[in-house]
Each structure stands twice: as C-alpha cells, then as structure tokens.
C-alpha cells in the first residue's frame, strides 16, 4: 500500500467534499470541489485507491501544489 | 548449378544478419514480453511489405564488424494500410543500438527518401547513446556533425516511438517528431542514468529521469503512452490513418461509420445550463465526430485543453476544446504550448481546425507568470494567425477575455450555441473588480450589478454585430461543422495550406 497525496492544481477556496474517508475512488473521480475562476472545479484522484485522509474543509483557501487528501493505493 | 558458392554465401550472410545481435538480449526481450526490432517492424507493417535497406551494413571498426549487424539499426520501407512509409528500428541487441558512423549514414538515407519522395518516416527508438570508442576524441565527436539533419521543414510526417532505454540519437529523433509515443517502462532522456549519475554525482532513478509519466504529464514531450509494444505500434498505424503521406497532399478521407451523429441529441444532457458547473468536453467531442474517430493527442498533458484528431463526415479535423472538468477550463501556459504545437502540426499537414470553446479565460496568477504566460498566449495566437487551414469555431458556453480570441474568436466561421456567454470577464468577477463588492457583502446589490454586467453578453449580441456567423442549437453542431468543412475546403490549392509554420520548433 502506497500513500498518495492528492494535490490542488489551481488555487481556490474549498466548496465541498465529494466523498468521505474510507471511500474507494477510481482515477479522475472528484474528491473535493473548489471554487476558482468563478467555476466549481473538482480535484480528482490521480490513481485508483481509497481515501484515508481529507486535509481541507469547506471555506479553506488552497494553493497550487497543496495536498488536499491522502489516498491509499 | 552455377553460382552455387555465391548463393550459399548470400543465404548464409542474410540469415546471419537477420538473426540480429546478442542471443542473450534477444532471449531477455522474449522473456519480458517485449518485441525485438524485427518483430516490431513486422507487427507495424502490412504483411510481407518490408523492403530492407542496409542489411549488410556493419560497424566500420573491423573488430566490431561481426557483432554489429546492420550497425545497430534495421532500416527500410514498408506499407501501412497500403501506403508507403520509411522506417528506422533501433536494434538494441547489436551493441545496444549505440550510434556510430555507418548507422548514421543509414539514418540519413531513410530521412532523405522520406523527404524527397514524400512518405512518412517512423522511428522505433531504443538506443544506448553514442558508441564508445567510435565517438571518443576530437575526431570522434566532431565527425558526428552531419549537415541538414536538424533542418526539418515538415515535408512529411515524422513519428517516433520510444520502446526501451533511449539516450542520445533516438531521443533527438523523438524531440523532432510530429507525434511521439512511448511504451510504459521505457525511458526517454538525454543521457543514461549511469552517465547522469557520474556527471552530477547523484543516483537517478530511470523513471524519474525519463519515464512515461514525466514525459506525458509534466513535459508533454511524449504524446501518448501505452502498456505494450503492440499497443504502441497499433497507435502508430492509427495516427498514420489521419495523416497525408506528405505536406503536398490533403489528409485521406474515410467512409462515415454507421451510427455517427446518433448521440447529438444527448448533447443537451452533457452540458449543464448553470455556467459554474463543469463537464467533460471529451463527451461532447465523441458525440460530434464520426463514431469512434477521436484520437487524443497529449492526452495526459495540460488536460484543461483536449486536443486530438478526428473525422467529421469522413474529413480529418484537428479538435481543440477547453475542458471545464480540469481547472474549470481555464487555460494555463502548458495548455498554450499544447495548442501551439498542435496547430503547427495540423497546419503543416493540411488538417482543418475545429475549436469547441467553454473557458473562463486564462488562468492568471503567479504560477502562470513564472512559466511565461504572456509569451505562451502570444505563441498560440501567432500560430493561429499563421495557420491557413480552415478554422471553424463553436462557442458553447463561456468565452471570456483574451481567451475568446485564442479559442476561435478569429476563426473563419463562428457558430455560437444559444447558451454562449461572451465578454471581457465573468460578470460576477467584473462586479468585484469594477465595484469592489463581493456576493457576501451585499447579496441584493451584488445580484443587481451582476445582472447589469451580464447584459449584451449573449449569443445574439455576438451575432447582431456579425461577430458570430450563426446562433445554433447545440444538437446542430455536427451538421453545421460538416457543412462548413465542405464550404471551406481549400479548392484553389487542392486542399494544401501555405505551411507558414513548417519550420517552427517542435517543442514550445
């Protein structure tokens, strides 16, 4: 099992969690959604795996490159 | 029988050369499920069509002659779907396919025929770098200069697949090609991990140095990566199906598969009406193009822009679509680089461009500025202005600011969907900028101002000034594009563009 960080690719503010801790995800599934450029932008799983940590809460600001969740894959 | 001795010798020499180099390496390839150079050639080409040149070439150093069949490279001509191509396959079993003078002459011959006779060149790359001791010393290295090897004018399409460890020669060929593929597990870099480790006193992992993820996701130097040699070779055949044999031919037209256009009615379900909601534009592309004809290029690089080849009514097109599901469709410097190199390739090979636009604009900010966003936006624009293939644009939803111009605003023919929304910037953002008010400060006033700034941003405003030539129902997109491709065919030149960018670089 490898721990994989899910990284924000754009700066923005967190709108919602799309799935919860313990959920399985496939590559490209949305994990959290942020608002940026007046758009609701999903931050997606880079690989298939299971969500073990979510590191940001709705309302938080995120920067490019910031880890927002941890997957086990 | 006359010539008995000659026939025996000829047969013996031929068999020996075709058996390639190191037996141990051949066995290792087979055990790992990887094809060797000759198997790759037969897998790629139409059955029985390979015509070899240079079978009897060997190293010019007499002591290496016996273990350097072909001087480390198998070259010749063959057919793909009945069309001639020129081919270079590096043979890793012969001295690690290291570059040496006789092999270089074979490369130059194939290159020359590809250019002068107008046939695509395919390189199946895997090379240990320059051969030692052949290139050692002043004479060794200086002699590797060769005139015009780097003078490329895109007279015919060049394709390179990296199928193993690739350092030096085959990496340069990849970097000069119109389409680059890689087998996952192969490595594409300037120098081998061994040379690199010595040079910078750092142990390097080959995957970190030049693995498929780095090349397809971070640098974009490789367009597509596949799990096996067979998949890579199948993708080359597929790519060639969209390409003319050379720059003076239009791309080949194909029959329209049954069921094409059947999904057009579903387009209204794919694209959400609320402008801040995202969707995957690739579903829109798949619905518009001839069934199953979308072939993505640089699929894993700058995903915010989906680029690829496809067919509409049997005609090859280059599709450039902003993809809201990634970064909201906001274009970053990498997306501009991707667009520029794709436009250069399409224009050089007479492939019309189709834009599908839904973008909140360029992704402004420090990250983009560090990567030279302004320069990349202008390269993209410059390429668009230079392109003389037909350019058609469909404004699907948002298109704001300078990105409006880049994403089809200067096309030959523009259709706006009835959902189009065009302005200098998003009205909600404009309220912040012009009035200094955020939604939470005063929701009622914010909404009034947003309403005010949303006026004159619709499709009919665009069409009223003839800045779009039509407003269409999204379900009419395929038929509109098919009709416009027919209208805008380059009749006066037999379908050939002016190739203004034929000498532009390959990487931006």
């Amino acid at each position: 099992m490898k721990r994989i960080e899910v990284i924000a690719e754009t700066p923005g503010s967190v709108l919602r969690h799309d799935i919860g801790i313990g959920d399985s995800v496939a590559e490209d599934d949305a994990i959290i959604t942020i608002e940026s450029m007046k758009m609701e932008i999903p931050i997606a799983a880079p690989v298939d795996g299971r969500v073990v940590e979510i590191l940001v809460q709705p309302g938080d600001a995120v920067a490019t490159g910031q880890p927002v969740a941890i997957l086990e894959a | 029988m006359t010539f008995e001795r000659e026939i025996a010798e000829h047969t013996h020499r031929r068999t020996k050369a075709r058996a390639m180099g190191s037996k141990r390496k051949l066995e290792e390839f087979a055990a790992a499920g990887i094809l060797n150079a000759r198997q790759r050639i037969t897998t790629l080409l139409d059955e029985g069509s390979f015509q070899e040149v240079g079978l009897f070439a060997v190293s010019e150093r007499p002591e290496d002659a016996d273990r350097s069949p072909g001087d480390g490279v198998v070259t010749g001509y063959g057919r793909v779907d009945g069309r001639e191509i020129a081919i270079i396959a590096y043979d890793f079993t012969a001295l690690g396919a290291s570059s040496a003078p006789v092999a270089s002459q074979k490369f130059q011959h194939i290159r020359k025929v590809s250019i002068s006779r107008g046939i695509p060149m395919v390189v199946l790359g895997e090379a240990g770098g320059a051969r030692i001791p052949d290139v050692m010393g002043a004479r060794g290295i200086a002699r590797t200069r060769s005139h015009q090897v780097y003078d490329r004018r895109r007279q015919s399409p060049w394709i390179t697949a990296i199928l193993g460890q690739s350092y030096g020669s085959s990496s340069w060929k990849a970097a000069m090609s119109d389409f680059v593929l890689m087998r996952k597990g192969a490595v594409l870099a300037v120098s081998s991990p061994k040379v690199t480790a010595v040079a910078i006193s750092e142990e390097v992992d080959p995957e970190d140095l030049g693995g498929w993820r780095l090349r397809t996701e971070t640098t974009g130097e490789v367009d597509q990566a596949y799990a096996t040699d067979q998949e890579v070779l199948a993708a080359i055949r597929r790519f060639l199906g969209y390409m003319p044999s050379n720059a003076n031919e239009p791309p080949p037209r194909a029959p329209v598969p049954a069921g094409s256009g059947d999904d057009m009615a579903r387009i209204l379900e794919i694209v959400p009406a609320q402008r801040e909601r995202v969707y995957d534009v690739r579903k829109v592309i798949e619905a518009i193009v001839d069934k199953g004809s979308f072939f993505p290029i640089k699929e894993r690089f700058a995903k915010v822009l989906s680029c690829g080849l496809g067919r509409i009514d049997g005609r090859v097109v280059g599709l450039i679509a902003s993809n809201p599901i990634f970064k909201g469709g906001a274009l970053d410097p990498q997306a501009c680089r991707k667009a520029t190199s794709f436009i250069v390739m399409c224009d050089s090979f007479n492939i019309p461009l189709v834009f599908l636009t839904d973008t909140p604009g360029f992704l402004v900010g420090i990250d983009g500025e560090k990567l030279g966003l302004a320069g990349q936006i202008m390269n993209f624009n410059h390429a668009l202005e230079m392109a003389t293939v037909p350019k058609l644009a469909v404004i699907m939803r948002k298109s704001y600011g300078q990105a409006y111009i880049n994403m089809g605003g200067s096309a030959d023919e523009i259709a706006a969907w009835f959902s189009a929304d065009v302005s200098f910037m998003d009205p909600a953002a404009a309220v912040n900028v012009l009035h200094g008010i955020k939604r939470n400060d005063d929701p009622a006033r914010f909404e009034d101002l947003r309403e005010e700034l949303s006026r004159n941003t619709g499709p009919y405003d665009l069409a009223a000034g003839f800045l779009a030539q039509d407003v269409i129902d999204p379900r009419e997109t395929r038929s509109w594009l098919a009709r416009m491709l027919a209208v805008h065919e380059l009749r006066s030149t037999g379908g050939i563009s002016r190739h203004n960018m034929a000498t532009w670089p390959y990487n931006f």
Side-chain angles (χ1 to χ4, degrees):
Chain A
M1 280 291 186
K2 244 166 94 174
R3 280 169 68 84
I4 291 166
E5 289 184 336
V6 182
I7 305 285
E9 287 189 338
T10 39
S13 67
V14 177
L15 273 181
R16 61 172 180 267
H17 295 169
D18 291 294
I19 42 182
I21 290 167
D23 290 352
S24 293
V25 289
E27 181 173 342
D28 289 341
D29 279 356
I31 292 175
I32 70 164
T33 298
I34 63 169
E35 192 200 290
S36 182
M37 298 290 289
K38 300 289 170 196
M39 296 292 293
E40 293 179 8
I41 302 175
I43 299 181
V47 292
D48 297 352
R50 199 172 62 85
V51 180
V52 292
E53 277 181 66
I54 297 182
L55 306 170
V56 292
Q57 297 306 318
D60 288 357
V62 294
T64 305
Q66 183 179 332
V68 297
I70 308 285
L71 299 185
E72 248 178 27
Chain B
M1 195 160 68
T2 53
F3 292 118
E4 208 165 313
R5 192 181 55 78
E6 285 84 352
I7 289 170
E9 186 192 354
H10 185 238
T11 306
H12 170 73
R13 281 178 177 263
R14 220 180 216 176
T15 309
K16 189 164 174 258
R18 284 178 181 161
M20 296 181 280
S22 155
K23 289 221 164 40
R24 185 177 53 79
K25 277 188 188 151
L26 282 168
E27 283 162 14
E28 281 171 13
F29 269 59
I34 295 168
L35 301 181
N36 64 48
R38 287 182 183 277
Q39 288 169 333
R40 285 170 184 161
I41 288 175
T42 47
T43 305
L44 174 69
L45 298 177
D46 294 350
E47 199 176 345
S49 71
F50 184 48
Q51 180 67 49
E52 187 160 359
V53 299
L55 175 66
F56 301 110
V58 291
S59 166
E60 62 177 11
R61 285 165 42 86
E63 56 272 49
D64 282 339
D66 210 37
R67 54 193 193 114
S68 56
D71 206 23
V73 60
V74 184
T75 50
Y77 315 111
R79 294 193 190 97
V80 170
D81 291 329
R83 299 159 74 205
E84 295 289 350
I85 65 162
I87 188 163
I88 292 172
Y90 286 75
D91 177 8
F92 203 72
T93 71
L95 300 177
S98 50
S99 317
V102 176
S104 296
Q105 287 189 41
K106 292 175 70 175
F107 294 148
Q108 286 181 46
H109 180 77
I110 294 294
R111 174 186 171 278
K112 201 170 129 189
V113 173
S114 154
I115 292 170
S116 63
R117 305 304 182 223
I119 55 176
M121 182 170 88
V122 174
V123 178
L124 305 177
E126 176 172 31
R131 191 179 302 163
I132 295 169
D134 305 48
V135 298
M136 293 299 279
R139 272 185 64 182
I141 186 63
R143 212 159 57 114
T144 63
R145 76 172 179 172
S146 37
H147 298 289
Q148 294 181 328
V149 163
Y150 309 112
D151 171 351
R152 204 179 158 223
R153 292 156 195 259
R154 291 188 175 83
Q155 297 97 331
S156 62
W158 286 11
I159 297 153
T160 295
I162 298 300
L163 298 169
Q165 308 269 311
S166 167
Y167 310 113
S169 170
S170 51
S171 298
W172 306 147
K173 288 183 176 59
M176 291 177 73
S177 289
D178 302 299
F179 184 53
V180 186
L181 311 86
M182 195 165 178
R183 179 173 56 72
K184 292 177 183 177
V187 180
L188 167 65
V190 170
S191 289
S192 70
K194 196 171 158 190
V195 170
T196 307
V198 171
I200 61 171
S201 307
E202 185 179 85
E203 285 305 317
V204 283
D205 178 82
E207 281 295 322
D208 291 342
L209 187 68
W212 68 274
R213 280 197 178 268
L214 177 78
R215 296 298 168 213
T216 58
E217 294 174 2
T218 309
T219 72
E221 291 160 289
V222 171
D223 292 293
Q224 295 294 94
Y226 300 90
T228 63
D229 280 2
Q230 286 86 345
E231 286 172 88
V232 171
L233 298 166
I236 294 175
R237 289 182 65 97
R238 182 143 187 233
F239 179 82
L240 284 168
Y242 296 95
M243 285 285 133
S245 290
N246 59 67
N248 290 316
E249 289 178 3
R253 213 170 157 180
V256 181
S260 297
D262 285 359
D263 288 338
M264 283 310 295
R266 279 189 50 241
I267 276 209
L268 298 179
E269 296 158 33
I270 299 170
V271 181
Q274 304 99 310
R275 74 167 88 192
E276 64 281 359
R277 289 288 162 82
V278 301
Y279 59 94
D280 192 339
V281 80
R282 289 171 294 190
K283 291 181 185 162
V284 177
I285 295 174
E286 295 279 4
I288 291 173
V289 298
D290 291 359
K291 197 167 187 171
S293 73
F294 183 51
F295 184 75
I297 302 280
K298 293 199 204 301
E299 195 174 12
R300 303 186 75 95
F301 179 72
K303 289 176 168 181
V304 55
L305 199 69
S306 288
C307 292
L309 299 166
R311 285 199 178 80
I312 296 174
D313 198 22
R315 296 173 201 269
V316 178
V317 293
L319 295 135
I320 299 178
S322 45
N323 197 351
I325 203 167
F326 300 109
K327 300 188 179 187
L331 303 170
D332 56 15
Q334 291 91 335
C336 294
R337 285 171 50 201
K338 180 174 175 176
T340 304
S341 63
F342 188 68
I343 293 166
V344 170
M345 182 187 78
C346 288
D347 186 69
S348 297
F349 297 109
N350 315 312
I351 297 171
L353 295 168
V354 170
F355 291 87
L356 299 172
T357 305
D358 186 351
T359 176
F362 288 106
L363 186 59
V364 293
I366 295 168
D367 296 333
E369 296 296 341
K370 280 182 179 166
L371 293 170
L373 181 58
Q376 295 299 343
I377 293 171
M378 286 304 112
N379 282 350
F380 179 178
N381 249 318
H382 190 190
L384 277 172
E385 299 273 329
M386 289 287 116
T388 55
V389 287
K391 289 170 274 188
L392 305 175
V394 178
I395 315 296
M396 301 187 294
R397 293 198 310 180
K398 298 171 300 335
S399 189
Y400 297 145
Q402 178 65 35
Y404 173 79
I405 307 300
N406 287 65
M407 285 302 292
S410 59
D412 299 317
E413 207 84 51
I414 300 173
W417 281 5
F418 50 49
S419 47
D421 176 15
V422 175
S423 188
F424 172 65
M425 67 197 299
D426 187 297
V431 174
N432 301 160
V433 174
L434 293 175
H435 301 286
I437 295 171
K438 292 187 174 164
R439 194 185 297 270
N440 294 342
D441 301 341
D442 183 347
R445 181 157 157 72
F446 180 90
E447 213 32 60
D448 285 349
L449 291 168
R450 200 187 63 79
E451 191 99 324
E452 189 184 308
L453 287 165
S454 299
R455 278 180 212 144
N456 310 320
T457 62
Y460 303 103
D461 299 301
L462 205 58
F466 197 58
L467 296 161
Q469 279 62 57
D470 202 357
V471 178
I472 63 171
D473 181 314
R475 293 168 291 187
E476 297 163 347
T477 308
R478 176 178 158 84
S479 52
W480 182 83
L481 285 168
R483 190 73 184 87
M484 286 305 172
L485 285 167
V487 169
H488 283 271
E489 205 174 276
L490 300 174
R491 284 174 197 78
S492 55
T493 59
I496 310 305
S497 89
R498 279 189 226 132
H499 303 152
N500 290 333
M501 295 170 285
T503 58
W504 276 30
Y506 328 96
N507 289 290
F508 290 87

